[in-house]
Amino acid sequence: MFEKVYIIDDDEVSIFLAQTMLEAEGFAREYESFQNPCDAIYQLLPGLQQEEVESIPDVIFLDLNMPQMDGWHFLDRLCPYAEILKRSCQLYILTSSVDSMDTRRAKSYDFLAGFLQKPLEESAIQRILHGPNS
């Protein structure tokens, strides 16, 4: 079980569904959701800048298509902190996109843990909880 999870998605229903699935699997103790990715960035940056690992969530689920700041711009803002993210946070894109260009582009962010399709499925949750061999 993880301590803290961020769900970043502009769609309230998607947040609700993801969190409900995660809770059903006993995924984390605490969930924080952001409909505006800018709010998530402002919450994340101080901990990343100070390398305060305890303030960084264990897992982040990030949507790609959002109006204020899309997922790609969010990831670009995190690039300077790639090393601390790789050590302390599993960041997953969680999207309805089926565009192969998106999956290829995601591979250019070496701090990304994976690319998941909505809706979040039990098997994906179990892989994250227990590792790829579960």
Side-chain angles (χ1 to χ4, degrees), residues 100-130:
S100 61
M101 292 291 290
D102 285 341
T103 52
R104 278 198 296 277
R105 185 174 178 186
K107 290 178 178 153
S108 69
Y109 296 92
D110 67 344
F111 57 90
L112 264 181
F115 191 98
L116 305 171
Q117 294 292 316
K118 288 181 184 177
L120 192 54
E121 295 181 355
E122 180 183 343
S123 59
I125 295 168
Q126 289 300 319
R127 273 194 310 277
I128 297 167
L129 269 174
H130 304 292

Side-chain angles (χ1 to χ4, degrees), residues 1-5 27-31 54 56-59:
M1 176 181 275
F2 294 103
E3 274 307 309
K4 184 187 256 185
V5 171
F27 192 81
R29 296 187 203 294
E30 182 183 340
Y31 300 90
E54 66 280 351
I56 300 167
D58 300 299
V59 181

Side-chain angles (χ1 to χ4, degrees), residues 27-93:
F27 192 81
R29 296 187 203 294
E30 182 183 340
Y31 300 90
E32 195 160 349
S33 61
F34 300 88
Q35 284 185 268
N36 182 340
C38 297
D39 294 339
I41 282 287
Y42 293 130
Q43 183 127 345
L44 269 172
L45 282 181
L48 290 169
Q49 290 165 340
Q50 301 300 316
E51 295 193 25
E52 295 170 348
V53 176
E54 66 280 351
S55 71
I56 300 167
D58 300 299
V59 181
I60 297 173
F61 294 101
L62 173 68
D63 187 28
L64 286 179
N65 301 311
M66 297 178 282
Q68 298 92 349
M69 172 193 286
D70 69 18
W72 302 119
H73 287 103
F74 185 91
L75 292 170
D76 290 341
R77 293 284 306 271
L78 295 181
C79 281
Y81 311 101
E83 290 308 312
I84 190 169
L85 285 166
K86 284 192 273 189
R87 289 193 312 267
S88 59
C89 179
Q90 295 181 53
L91 202 158
Y92 293 89
I93 289 175

